[in-house]
Short mmCIF file of all heavy atoms in Angstrom, two decimals:
data_model
loop_
_atom_site.label_atom_id
_atom_site.label_comp_id
_atom_site.label_asym_id
_atom_site.label_seq_id
_atom_site.Cartn_x
_atom_site.Cartn_y
_atom_site.Cartn_z
N MET A 1 0.12 21.24 -0.37
CA MET A 1 0.16 19.82 -0.83
C MET A 1 0.99 19.69 -2.06
O MET A 1 0.91 20.49 -3.01
CB MET A 1 -1.28 19.38 -1.09
CG MET A 1 -1.38 17.94 -1.50
SD MET A 1 -3.07 17.44 -1.87
CE MET A 1 -3.24 16.20 -0.65
N THR A 2 1.93 18.73 -2.07
CA THR A 2 2.85 18.50 -3.17
C THR A 2 2.22 17.50 -4.11
O THR A 2 1.51 16.48 -3.77
CB THR A 2 4.15 17.84 -2.63
OG1 THR A 2 4.59 18.71 -1.59
CG2 THR A 2 5.10 17.69 -3.71
N ASN A 3 2.41 17.78 -5.44
CA ASN A 3 1.94 16.88 -6.50
C ASN A 3 2.66 15.53 -6.32
O ASN A 3 3.91 15.48 -6.34
CB ASN A 3 2.24 17.52 -7.87
CG ASN A 3 1.80 16.67 -8.94
OD1 ASN A 3 1.58 15.50 -8.89
ND2 ASN A 3 1.59 17.36 -10.14
N PRO A 4 1.91 14.41 -6.20
CA PRO A 4 2.60 13.07 -5.99
C PRO A 4 3.43 12.69 -7.20
O PRO A 4 4.31 11.76 -7.11
CB PRO A 4 1.46 12.16 -5.70
CG PRO A 4 0.26 12.83 -6.33
CD PRO A 4 0.48 14.32 -6.19
N PHE A 5 3.28 13.31 -8.33
CA PHE A 5 4.05 12.94 -9.51
C PHE A 5 5.34 13.70 -9.60
O PHE A 5 6.23 13.44 -10.51
CB PHE A 5 3.23 13.11 -10.84
CG PHE A 5 2.06 12.20 -11.00
CD1 PHE A 5 0.87 12.46 -10.34
CD2 PHE A 5 2.21 10.98 -11.64
CE1 PHE A 5 -0.18 11.53 -10.53
CE2 PHE A 5 1.16 10.12 -11.77
CZ PHE A 5 -0.05 10.46 -11.22
N GLU A 6 5.62 14.67 -8.72
CA GLU A 6 6.76 15.40 -8.73
C GLU A 6 7.67 15.30 -7.49
O GLU A 6 8.67 15.93 -7.36
CB GLU A 6 6.41 16.90 -8.86
CG GLU A 6 5.73 17.16 -10.26
CD GLU A 6 5.25 18.61 -10.41
OE1 GLU A 6 5.42 19.37 -9.45
OE2 GLU A 6 4.71 18.93 -11.43
N ARG A 7 7.26 14.50 -6.54
CA ARG A 7 8.06 14.27 -5.26
C ARG A 7 9.33 13.50 -5.61
O ARG A 7 9.26 12.44 -6.15
CB ARG A 7 7.24 13.54 -4.30
CG ARG A 7 5.97 14.36 -3.83
CD ARG A 7 5.31 13.74 -2.68
NE ARG A 7 6.31 13.63 -1.65
CZ ARG A 7 6.05 13.47 -0.37
NH1 ARG A 7 4.74 13.45 0.02
NH2 ARG A 7 6.87 13.34 0.54
N THR A 8 10.41 14.09 -5.10
CA THR A 8 11.71 13.42 -5.26
C THR A 8 12.06 12.47 -4.19
O THR A 8 12.99 11.62 -4.36
CB THR A 8 12.81 14.53 -5.43
OG1 THR A 8 12.81 15.35 -4.19
CG2 THR A 8 12.69 15.32 -6.70
N ASP A 9 11.29 12.53 -3.11
CA ASP A 9 11.55 11.65 -1.91
C ASP A 9 10.60 10.45 -1.90
O ASP A 9 10.53 9.74 -0.88
CB ASP A 9 11.49 12.46 -0.67
CG ASP A 9 10.05 13.06 -0.41
OD1 ASP A 9 9.24 13.10 -1.39
OD2 ASP A 9 9.83 13.45 0.71
N SER A 10 9.89 10.12 -2.97
CA SER A 10 8.97 9.06 -3.02
C SER A 10 9.41 8.00 -3.92
O SER A 10 10.24 8.25 -4.89
CB SER A 10 7.57 9.51 -3.42
OG SER A 10 7.00 10.35 -2.48
N ASP A 11 8.91 6.78 -3.82
CA ASP A 11 9.12 5.75 -4.87
C ASP A 11 8.14 5.68 -5.93
O ASP A 11 6.95 6.09 -5.73
CB ASP A 11 9.11 4.33 -4.14
CG ASP A 11 10.42 4.08 -3.33
OD1 ASP A 11 11.42 4.76 -3.62
OD2 ASP A 11 10.46 3.22 -2.47
N TYR A 12 8.57 5.28 -7.08
CA TYR A 12 7.73 5.30 -8.27
C TYR A 12 7.77 3.91 -8.98
O TYR A 12 8.58 3.08 -8.67
CB TYR A 12 8.14 6.36 -9.26
CG TYR A 12 7.83 7.69 -8.79
CD1 TYR A 12 8.72 8.38 -7.96
CD2 TYR A 12 6.70 8.41 -9.13
CE1 TYR A 12 8.47 9.64 -7.43
CE2 TYR A 12 6.47 9.62 -8.64
CZ TYR A 12 7.37 10.26 -7.84
OH TYR A 12 7.07 11.56 -7.34
N LEU A 13 6.81 3.70 -9.88
CA LEU A 13 6.82 2.67 -10.84
C LEU A 13 6.88 3.30 -12.25
O LEU A 13 6.47 4.39 -12.42
CB LEU A 13 5.51 1.85 -10.74
CG LEU A 13 5.15 1.22 -9.37
CD1 LEU A 13 3.77 0.70 -9.35
CD2 LEU A 13 6.16 0.17 -9.00
N VAL A 14 7.38 2.38 -13.19
CA VAL A 14 7.14 2.71 -14.63
C VAL A 14 6.04 1.79 -15.11
O VAL A 14 6.15 0.59 -15.02
CB VAL A 14 8.43 2.57 -15.40
CG1 VAL A 14 8.11 2.81 -16.90
CG2 VAL A 14 9.53 3.52 -14.93
N LEU A 15 4.95 2.38 -15.59
CA LEU A 15 3.92 1.65 -16.12
C LEU A 15 3.95 1.67 -17.67
O LEU A 15 4.59 2.57 -18.25
CB LEU A 15 2.55 2.23 -15.79
CG LEU A 15 2.27 2.44 -14.24
CD1 LEU A 15 0.88 2.97 -14.02
CD2 LEU A 15 2.52 1.20 -13.47
N ILE A 16 3.40 0.58 -18.29
CA ILE A 16 3.34 0.50 -19.75
C ILE A 16 1.93 0.03 -20.13
O ILE A 16 1.41 -0.83 -19.36
CB ILE A 16 4.49 -0.38 -20.30
CG1 ILE A 16 4.53 -0.36 -21.82
CG2 ILE A 16 4.30 -1.83 -19.74
CD1 ILE A 16 5.77 -1.05 -22.41
N ASN A 17 1.36 0.56 -21.22
CA ASN A 17 0.14 0.10 -21.65
C ASN A 17 0.29 -0.77 -22.89
O ASN A 17 1.37 -1.00 -23.35
CB ASN A 17 -0.84 1.24 -21.83
CG ASN A 17 -0.46 2.17 -22.96
OD1 ASN A 17 0.41 1.85 -23.80
ND2 ASN A 17 -1.06 3.33 -22.98
N ASP A 18 -0.86 -1.20 -23.43
CA ASP A 18 -0.84 -2.09 -24.61
C ASP A 18 -0.25 -1.42 -25.86
O ASP A 18 0.14 -1.97 -26.87
CB ASP A 18 -2.29 -2.61 -25.01
CG ASP A 18 -2.79 -3.58 -23.96
OD1 ASP A 18 -1.95 -4.17 -23.20
OD2 ASP A 18 -4.02 -3.78 -23.93
N GLU A 19 -0.24 -0.06 -25.83
CA GLU A 19 0.22 0.69 -27.06
C GLU A 19 1.76 0.99 -26.83
O GLU A 19 2.42 1.58 -27.66
CB GLU A 19 -0.41 1.98 -27.11
CG GLU A 19 -1.83 1.98 -27.60
CD GLU A 19 -2.01 1.62 -29.06
OE1 GLU A 19 -0.94 1.81 -29.84
OE2 GLU A 19 -3.07 1.20 -29.51
N GLY A 20 2.37 0.48 -25.80
CA GLY A 20 3.85 0.61 -25.49
C GLY A 20 4.15 1.98 -24.89
O GLY A 20 5.37 2.29 -24.78
N GLN A 21 3.19 2.69 -24.52
CA GLN A 21 3.41 4.08 -23.88
C GLN A 21 3.82 3.85 -22.40
O GLN A 21 3.25 2.90 -21.79
CB GLN A 21 2.15 4.92 -23.97
CG GLN A 21 1.78 5.18 -25.44
CD GLN A 21 0.41 5.76 -25.55
OE1 GLN A 21 -0.57 5.24 -24.98
NE2 GLN A 21 0.29 6.84 -26.25
N HIS A 22 4.74 4.61 -21.91
CA HIS A 22 5.22 4.51 -20.59
C HIS A 22 4.72 5.63 -19.76
O HIS A 22 4.44 6.72 -20.23
CB HIS A 22 6.77 4.59 -20.55
CG HIS A 22 7.35 3.35 -21.15
ND1 HIS A 22 7.16 2.92 -22.46
CD2 HIS A 22 8.28 2.49 -20.69
CE1 HIS A 22 7.87 1.80 -22.70
NE2 HIS A 22 8.58 1.51 -21.57
N SER A 23 4.61 5.45 -18.50
CA SER A 23 4.16 6.43 -17.49
C SER A 23 4.97 6.34 -16.17
O SER A 23 5.09 5.23 -15.65
CB SER A 23 2.71 6.33 -17.25
OG SER A 23 2.17 7.28 -16.35
N LEU A 24 5.35 7.38 -15.69
CA LEU A 24 5.86 7.49 -14.28
C LEU A 24 4.74 7.50 -13.30
O LEU A 24 3.80 8.31 -13.51
CB LEU A 24 6.74 8.81 -14.18
CG LEU A 24 7.34 8.97 -12.78
CD1 LEU A 24 8.47 7.94 -12.51
CD2 LEU A 24 7.95 10.43 -12.73
N TRP A 25 4.76 6.63 -12.37
CA TRP A 25 3.58 6.48 -11.50
C TRP A 25 3.95 6.28 -10.10
O TRP A 25 4.84 5.45 -9.74
CB TRP A 25 2.78 5.20 -11.95
CG TRP A 25 1.39 5.18 -11.34
CD1 TRP A 25 0.93 4.46 -10.36
CD2 TRP A 25 0.28 5.96 -11.85
NE1 TRP A 25 -0.42 4.72 -10.19
CE2 TRP A 25 -0.84 5.64 -11.11
CE3 TRP A 25 0.08 6.81 -12.92
CZ2 TRP A 25 -2.09 6.18 -11.27
CZ3 TRP A 25 -1.14 7.32 -13.13
CH2 TRP A 25 -2.20 6.98 -12.27
N PRO A 26 3.43 7.10 -9.14
CA PRO A 26 3.70 6.97 -7.69
C PRO A 26 3.38 5.55 -7.23
O PRO A 26 2.27 5.08 -7.51
CB PRO A 26 2.78 8.00 -7.06
CG PRO A 26 2.49 9.05 -8.14
CD PRO A 26 2.45 8.21 -9.42
N ALA A 27 4.31 4.95 -6.50
CA ALA A 27 4.14 3.58 -6.12
C ALA A 27 2.92 3.29 -5.15
O ALA A 27 2.47 2.25 -5.10
CB ALA A 27 5.42 3.05 -5.45
N PHE A 28 2.62 4.41 -4.41
CA PHE A 28 1.51 4.25 -3.44
C PHE A 28 0.12 4.25 -4.05
O PHE A 28 -0.85 3.96 -3.30
CB PHE A 28 1.72 5.25 -2.26
CG PHE A 28 1.38 6.67 -2.64
CD1 PHE A 28 -0.02 7.17 -2.58
CD2 PHE A 28 2.39 7.44 -3.21
CE1 PHE A 28 -0.22 8.45 -2.85
CE2 PHE A 28 2.07 8.83 -3.46
CZ PHE A 28 0.76 9.28 -3.40
N ILE A 29 0.05 4.67 -5.24
CA ILE A 29 -1.26 4.75 -5.98
C ILE A 29 -1.47 3.48 -6.78
O ILE A 29 -0.61 2.91 -7.47
CB ILE A 29 -1.33 5.96 -6.94
CG1 ILE A 29 -1.12 7.29 -6.16
CG2 ILE A 29 -2.69 5.98 -7.67
CD1 ILE A 29 -1.09 8.53 -7.03
N PRO A 30 -2.66 2.80 -6.64
CA PRO A 30 -2.88 1.56 -7.34
C PRO A 30 -2.72 1.69 -8.86
O PRO A 30 -3.05 2.82 -9.42
CB PRO A 30 -4.35 1.24 -6.99
CG PRO A 30 -4.63 1.93 -5.76
CD PRO A 30 -3.79 3.16 -5.75
N VAL A 31 -2.18 0.71 -9.47
CA VAL A 31 -1.96 0.74 -10.94
C VAL A 31 -3.31 0.76 -11.68
O VAL A 31 -4.20 -0.13 -11.33
CB VAL A 31 -1.20 -0.44 -11.40
CG1 VAL A 31 -1.05 -0.51 -12.93
CG2 VAL A 31 0.30 -0.41 -10.78
N PRO A 32 -3.56 1.75 -12.51
CA PRO A 32 -4.91 1.79 -13.22
C PRO A 32 -5.03 0.70 -14.23
O PRO A 32 -4.16 0.13 -14.72
CB PRO A 32 -4.88 3.18 -13.86
CG PRO A 32 -3.44 3.57 -14.00
CD PRO A 32 -2.69 2.82 -12.96
N GLN A 33 -6.32 0.41 -14.47
CA GLN A 33 -6.72 -0.67 -15.46
C GLN A 33 -6.15 -0.32 -16.85
O GLN A 33 -6.14 0.90 -17.21
CB GLN A 33 -8.20 -0.72 -15.52
CG GLN A 33 -8.68 -1.89 -16.39
CD GLN A 33 -10.20 -1.96 -16.35
OE1 GLN A 33 -10.93 -1.18 -15.84
NE2 GLN A 33 -10.69 -3.06 -16.96
N GLY A 34 -5.61 -1.24 -17.52
CA GLY A 34 -5.00 -1.10 -18.81
C GLY A 34 -3.46 -0.78 -18.75
O GLY A 34 -2.89 -0.68 -19.88
N TRP A 35 -2.97 -0.73 -17.55
CA TRP A 35 -1.48 -0.49 -17.46
C TRP A 35 -0.86 -1.65 -16.60
O TRP A 35 -1.59 -2.16 -15.75
CB TRP A 35 -1.31 0.85 -16.63
CG TRP A 35 -1.64 2.05 -17.49
CD1 TRP A 35 -2.98 2.53 -17.60
CD2 TRP A 35 -0.88 2.86 -18.30
NE1 TRP A 35 -2.91 3.61 -18.41
CE2 TRP A 35 -1.67 3.84 -18.91
CE3 TRP A 35 0.52 2.87 -18.64
CZ2 TRP A 35 -1.12 4.82 -19.69
CZ3 TRP A 35 1.01 3.83 -19.47
CH2 TRP A 35 0.16 4.76 -20.07
N THR A 36 0.41 -1.91 -16.90
CA THR A 36 1.18 -2.97 -16.12
C THR A 36 2.45 -2.34 -15.68
O THR A 36 3.10 -1.52 -16.46
CB THR A 36 1.50 -4.12 -17.08
OG1 THR A 36 0.31 -4.65 -17.65
CG2 THR A 36 2.24 -5.19 -16.38
N ALA A 37 2.88 -2.70 -14.43
CA ALA A 37 4.19 -2.22 -13.97
C ALA A 37 5.27 -2.88 -14.73
O ALA A 37 5.36 -4.12 -14.74
CB ALA A 37 4.28 -2.47 -12.47
N ALA A 38 6.12 -2.04 -15.31
CA ALA A 38 7.30 -2.57 -16.09
C ALA A 38 8.63 -2.47 -15.34
O ALA A 38 9.57 -3.14 -15.71
CB ALA A 38 7.42 -1.92 -17.42
N TYR A 39 8.65 -1.55 -14.39
CA TYR A 39 9.88 -1.22 -13.62
C TYR A 39 9.52 -0.71 -12.31
O TYR A 39 8.53 0.10 -12.25
CB TYR A 39 10.79 -0.32 -14.49
CG TYR A 39 12.05 0.04 -13.77
CD1 TYR A 39 13.14 -0.89 -13.79
CD2 TYR A 39 12.20 1.28 -13.08
CE1 TYR A 39 14.40 -0.42 -13.13
CE2 TYR A 39 13.40 1.57 -12.34
CZ TYR A 39 14.51 0.62 -12.48
OH TYR A 39 15.69 0.97 -11.76
N GLY A 40 10.48 -0.93 -11.29
CA GLY A 40 10.23 -0.34 -9.99
C GLY A 40 9.54 -1.31 -9.10
O GLY A 40 9.33 -2.39 -9.41
N GLN A 41 9.59 -0.92 -7.98
CA GLN A 41 9.48 0.31 -7.19
C GLN A 41 10.92 0.80 -7.02
O GLN A 41 11.69 0.12 -6.55
CB GLN A 41 8.80 -0.02 -5.84
CG GLN A 41 8.64 1.04 -5.00
CD GLN A 41 7.67 0.61 -3.75
OE1 GLN A 41 6.89 -0.29 -3.90
NE2 GLN A 41 7.84 1.26 -2.66
N ALA A 42 11.03 2.10 -7.36
CA ALA A 42 12.39 2.69 -7.36
C ALA A 42 12.29 4.15 -7.20
O ALA A 42 11.20 4.74 -7.32
CB ALA A 42 13.20 2.32 -8.61
N ALA A 43 13.45 4.80 -7.05
CA ALA A 43 13.51 6.24 -6.98
C ALA A 43 13.04 6.95 -8.25
O ALA A 43 13.13 6.36 -9.41
CB ALA A 43 14.92 6.70 -6.64
N ARG A 44 12.58 8.16 -8.12
CA ARG A 44 12.00 8.88 -9.30
C ARG A 44 13.00 8.91 -10.46
O ARG A 44 12.71 8.63 -11.57
CB ARG A 44 11.55 10.23 -8.86
CG ARG A 44 10.86 11.05 -9.95
CD ARG A 44 10.33 12.42 -9.40
NE ARG A 44 9.34 13.02 -10.25
CZ ARG A 44 9.73 13.70 -11.31
NH1 ARG A 44 11.03 13.95 -11.58
NH2 ARG A 44 8.78 14.27 -11.99
N GLU A 45 14.22 9.30 -10.10
CA GLU A 45 15.31 9.42 -11.23
C GLU A 45 15.55 8.10 -11.88
O GLU A 45 15.74 8.05 -13.13
CB GLU A 45 16.53 10.05 -10.59
CG GLU A 45 16.45 11.55 -10.37
CD GLU A 45 16.10 12.34 -11.58
OE1 GLU A 45 16.71 12.14 -12.64
OE2 GLU A 45 15.23 13.19 -11.56
N ALA A 46 15.59 7.02 -11.09
CA ALA A 46 15.81 5.69 -11.71
C ALA A 46 14.72 5.33 -12.70
O ALA A 46 14.96 4.77 -13.75
CB ALA A 46 16.00 4.64 -10.64
N CYS A 47 13.50 5.64 -12.25
CA CYS A 47 12.38 5.36 -13.17
C CYS A 47 12.39 6.21 -14.44
O CYS A 47 12.12 5.77 -15.54
CB CYS A 47 11.06 5.58 -12.45
SG CYS A 47 10.68 4.32 -11.15
N LEU A 48 12.76 7.49 -14.30
CA LEU A 48 12.91 8.41 -15.47
C LEU A 48 14.07 7.88 -16.35
O LEU A 48 13.89 7.90 -17.62
CB LEU A 48 13.14 9.78 -15.09
CG LEU A 48 11.97 10.57 -14.33
CD1 LEU A 48 12.39 11.91 -13.84
CD2 LEU A 48 10.81 10.65 -15.33
N ASP A 49 15.15 7.41 -15.83
CA ASP A 49 16.16 6.82 -16.55
C ASP A 49 15.72 5.62 -17.35
O ASP A 49 16.07 5.41 -18.61
CB ASP A 49 17.39 6.42 -15.71
CG ASP A 49 18.13 7.67 -15.24
OD1 ASP A 49 17.89 8.83 -15.70
OD2 ASP A 49 18.90 7.48 -14.27
N TYR A 50 14.90 4.78 -16.72
CA TYR A 50 14.47 3.57 -17.36
C TYR A 50 13.51 3.99 -18.57
O TYR A 50 13.63 3.49 -19.62
CB TYR A 50 13.58 2.74 -16.38
CG TYR A 50 12.93 1.49 -17.03
CD1 TYR A 50 13.63 0.35 -16.97
CD2 TYR A 50 11.66 1.56 -17.67
CE1 TYR A 50 13.09 -0.79 -17.56
CE2 TYR A 50 11.12 0.50 -18.21
CZ TYR A 50 11.85 -0.76 -18.20
OH TYR A 50 11.27 -1.86 -18.79
N ILE A 51 12.62 4.98 -18.34
CA ILE A 51 11.76 5.43 -19.52
C ILE A 51 12.61 5.98 -20.62
O ILE A 51 12.37 5.67 -21.72
CB ILE A 51 10.78 6.58 -18.93
CG1 ILE A 51 9.77 5.89 -18.01
CG2 ILE A 51 10.10 7.25 -20.13
CD1 ILE A 51 8.88 6.85 -17.27
N ALA A 52 13.63 6.75 -20.31
CA ALA A 52 14.46 7.34 -21.33
C ALA A 52 15.24 6.25 -22.16
O ALA A 52 15.41 6.38 -23.34
CB ALA A 52 15.50 8.34 -20.75
N ALA A 53 15.62 5.15 -21.44
CA ALA A 53 16.32 4.09 -22.10
C ALA A 53 15.39 3.13 -22.96
O ALA A 53 15.88 2.48 -23.87
CB ALA A 53 17.09 3.29 -21.11
N HIS A 54 14.17 2.99 -22.54
CA HIS A 54 13.31 2.01 -23.13
C HIS A 54 12.13 2.55 -23.96
O HIS A 54 11.41 1.76 -24.57
CB HIS A 54 12.67 1.10 -21.94
CG HIS A 54 13.78 0.29 -21.36
ND1 HIS A 54 14.44 0.72 -20.23
CD2 HIS A 54 14.19 -0.97 -21.66
CE1 HIS A 54 15.29 -0.26 -19.89
NE2 HIS A 54 15.20 -1.22 -20.70
N TRP A 55 11.98 3.90 -24.02
CA TRP A 55 10.76 4.41 -24.76
C TRP A 55 11.30 5.58 -25.63
O TRP A 55 10.99 6.68 -25.42
CB TRP A 55 9.70 4.92 -23.80
CG TRP A 55 8.42 5.21 -24.41
CD1 TRP A 55 7.86 4.69 -25.56
CD2 TRP A 55 7.47 6.23 -24.00
NE1 TRP A 55 6.66 5.21 -25.89
CE2 TRP A 55 6.39 6.17 -24.89
CE3 TRP A 55 7.45 7.09 -22.90
CZ2 TRP A 55 5.27 7.04 -24.73
CZ3 TRP A 55 6.37 7.91 -22.82
CH2 TRP A 55 5.29 7.94 -23.70
N SER A 56 12.00 5.21 -26.67
CA SER A 56 12.58 6.19 -27.63
C SER A 56 11.63 6.65 -28.67
O SER A 56 11.71 7.70 -29.23
CB SER A 56 13.84 5.73 -28.15
OG SER A 56 13.68 4.51 -28.82
N ASP A 57 10.69 5.71 -29.13
CA ASP A 57 9.73 6.01 -30.13
C ASP A 57 8.40 6.20 -29.47
O ASP A 57 7.74 5.32 -28.98
CB ASP A 57 9.66 4.80 -31.08
CG ASP A 57 8.64 5.07 -32.23
OD1 ASP A 57 8.05 6.09 -32.32
OD2 ASP A 57 8.66 4.24 -33.15
N LEU A 58 7.96 7.49 -29.38
CA LEU A 58 6.76 7.84 -28.63
C LEU A 58 5.43 7.50 -29.34
O LEU A 58 4.46 7.71 -28.75
CB LEU A 58 6.84 9.37 -28.29
CG LEU A 58 8.13 9.78 -27.50
CD1 LEU A 58 7.98 11.26 -27.18
CD2 LEU A 58 8.22 8.99 -26.24
N ARG A 59 5.59 7.03 -30.58
CA ARG A 59 4.24 6.72 -31.27
C ARG A 59 3.72 5.52 -30.62
O ARG A 59 4.41 4.55 -30.26
CB ARG A 59 4.63 6.30 -32.76
CG ARG A 59 5.15 7.57 -33.61
CD ARG A 59 5.41 7.00 -34.91
NE ARG A 59 6.53 6.09 -34.89
CZ ARG A 59 6.94 5.42 -35.86
NH1 ARG A 59 6.36 5.46 -37.05
NH2 ARG A 59 8.02 4.55 -35.77
N PRO A 60 2.33 5.43 -30.47
CA PRO A 60 1.65 4.26 -30.05
C PRO A 60 1.97 3.10 -31.04
O PRO A 60 2.11 3.29 -32.22
CB PRO A 60 0.26 4.64 -30.06
CG PRO A 60 0.22 6.15 -30.09
CD PRO A 60 1.40 6.53 -30.77
N ARG A 61 1.98 1.94 -30.45
CA ARG A 61 2.26 0.64 -31.39
C ARG A 61 1.30 0.61 -32.52
O ARG A 61 1.69 0.17 -33.55
CB ARG A 61 2.10 -0.58 -30.50
CG ARG A 61 3.33 -0.76 -29.64
CD ARG A 61 3.26 -2.16 -29.05
NE ARG A 61 4.42 -2.29 -28.16
CZ ARG A 61 4.34 -2.75 -26.96
NH1 ARG A 61 3.24 -3.25 -26.34
NH2 ARG A 61 5.45 -2.82 -26.21
N SER A 62 0.08 1.01 -32.35
CA SER A 62 -1.00 0.95 -33.40
C SER A 62 -0.56 1.81 -34.59
O SER A 62 -0.85 1.55 -35.75
CB SER A 62 -2.30 1.28 -33.01
OG SER A 62 -2.38 2.59 -32.37
N LEU A 63 0.05 3.01 -34.32
CA LEU A 63 0.57 3.85 -35.42
C LEU A 63 1.84 3.34 -36.10
O LEU A 63 2.04 3.47 -37.27
CB LEU A 63 0.86 5.22 -34.98
CG LEU A 63 -0.39 6.04 -34.61
CD1 LEU A 63 -0.02 7.45 -34.13
CD2 LEU A 63 -1.28 6.13 -35.67
N ASP A 64 2.65 2.69 -35.25
CA ASP A 64 3.86 2.00 -35.76
C ASP A 64 3.65 0.92 -36.77
O ASP A 64 4.40 0.74 -37.69
CB ASP A 64 4.68 1.48 -34.55
CG ASP A 64 6.14 1.09 -34.94
OD1 ASP A 64 6.67 1.77 -35.89
OD2 ASP A 64 6.63 0.18 -34.44
N ALA A 65 2.49 0.34 -36.69
CA ALA A 65 2.13 -0.77 -37.60
C ALA A 65 1.62 -0.21 -38.95
O ALA A 65 1.50 -0.95 -39.91
CB ALA A 65 1.11 -1.67 -36.95
N GLU A 66 1.35 1.05 -38.99
CA GLU A 66 0.88 1.61 -40.26
C GLU A 66 2.00 1.68 -41.23
O GLU A 66 3.12 2.00 -40.94
CB GLU A 66 0.29 3.08 -40.01
CG GLU A 66 -0.89 3.14 -39.08
CD GLU A 66 -2.08 2.63 -39.75
OE1 GLU A 66 -2.31 2.78 -41.02
OE2 GLU A 66 -2.86 1.93 -39.05
N PRO A 67 1.66 1.49 -42.53
CA PRO A 67 2.73 1.57 -43.54
C PRO A 67 3.23 2.96 -43.72
O PRO A 67 2.49 3.84 -43.56
CB PRO A 67 2.00 1.06 -44.82
CG PRO A 67 0.61 1.16 -44.56
CD PRO A 67 0.39 1.07 -43.06
N ALA A 68 4.46 3.13 -43.92
CA ALA A 68 5.08 4.46 -44.17
C ALA A 68 4.65 4.95 -45.53
O ALA A 68 4.53 4.15 -46.47
CB ALA A 68 6.56 4.35 -44.05
N TYR A 69 4.42 6.23 -45.69
CA TYR A 69 4.13 6.79 -46.94
C TYR A 69 5.38 6.96 -47.80
O TYR A 69 6.41 7.28 -47.26
CB TYR A 69 3.48 8.12 -46.73
CG TYR A 69 2.12 8.08 -46.12
CD1 TYR A 69 1.90 8.36 -44.82
CD2 TYR A 69 1.06 7.78 -46.97
CE1 TYR A 69 0.63 8.23 -44.33
CE2 TYR A 69 -0.23 7.73 -46.38
CZ TYR A 69 -0.45 7.91 -45.11
OH TYR A 69 -1.72 7.84 -44.49
N ALA A 70 5.19 6.64 -49.07
CA ALA A 70 6.41 6.74 -49.95
C ALA A 70 6.56 8.19 -50.37
O ALA A 70 5.55 8.96 -50.40
CB ALA A 70 6.19 5.84 -51.17
N ASP A 71 7.82 8.55 -50.63
CA ASP A 71 8.15 9.94 -51.05
C ASP A 71 7.88 10.15 -52.61
O ASP A 71 8.17 11.20 -53.10
CB ASP A 71 9.57 10.29 -50.73
CG ASP A 71 9.69 11.07 -49.42
OD1 ASP A 71 8.68 11.45 -48.96
OD2 ASP A 71 10.82 11.16 -48.91
N THR A 72 7.46 9.10 -53.22
CA THR A 72 7.30 9.24 -54.67
C THR A 72 5.88 9.69 -55.05
O THR A 72 4.94 9.35 -54.38
CB THR A 72 7.58 7.85 -55.40
OG1 THR A 72 6.63 6.91 -54.91
CG2 THR A 72 9.00 7.40 -55.11
N LYS A 73 5.80 10.42 -56.14
CA LYS A 73 4.47 10.88 -56.64
C LYS A 73 3.95 9.87 -57.56
O LYS A 73 4.71 9.29 -58.37
CB LYS A 73 4.59 12.21 -57.23
CG LYS A 73 5.05 13.33 -56.34
CD LYS A 73 5.13 14.65 -57.04
CE LYS A 73 5.55 15.72 -56.11
NZ LYS A 73 5.61 17.05 -56.77
N GLN A 74 2.66 9.68 -57.58
CA GLN A 74 2.06 8.74 -58.45
C GLN A 74 1.44 9.55 -59.60
O GLN A 74 1.02 10.55 -59.47
CB GLN A 74 0.96 7.92 -57.87
CG GLN A 74 1.54 7.08 -56.68
CD GLN A 74 0.51 6.01 -56.35
OE1 GLN A 74 -0.52 5.83 -57.04
NE2 GLN A 74 0.70 5.42 -55.18
N GLY A 75 1.54 8.98 -60.85
CA GLY A 75 0.91 9.62 -61.96
C GLY A 75 1.80 9.88 -62.99
O GLY A 75 2.02 10.34 -63.92
#
């Protein structure tokens, strides 16, 4: 049995959650709660290209909202 996430002959979706995280998802499997289809139904490589082009910052949005630490020492 082939892993459905690795089949090159199947169609996929790109899912996105509220944190902005992306996932490659087999098109024949229902979209899980908390995720929305952002791209596809398309070939696996097209979906991977979409993810590479649209998800360059892998941090969840909730971490992105945190203030950056300053490089200066206090005191």
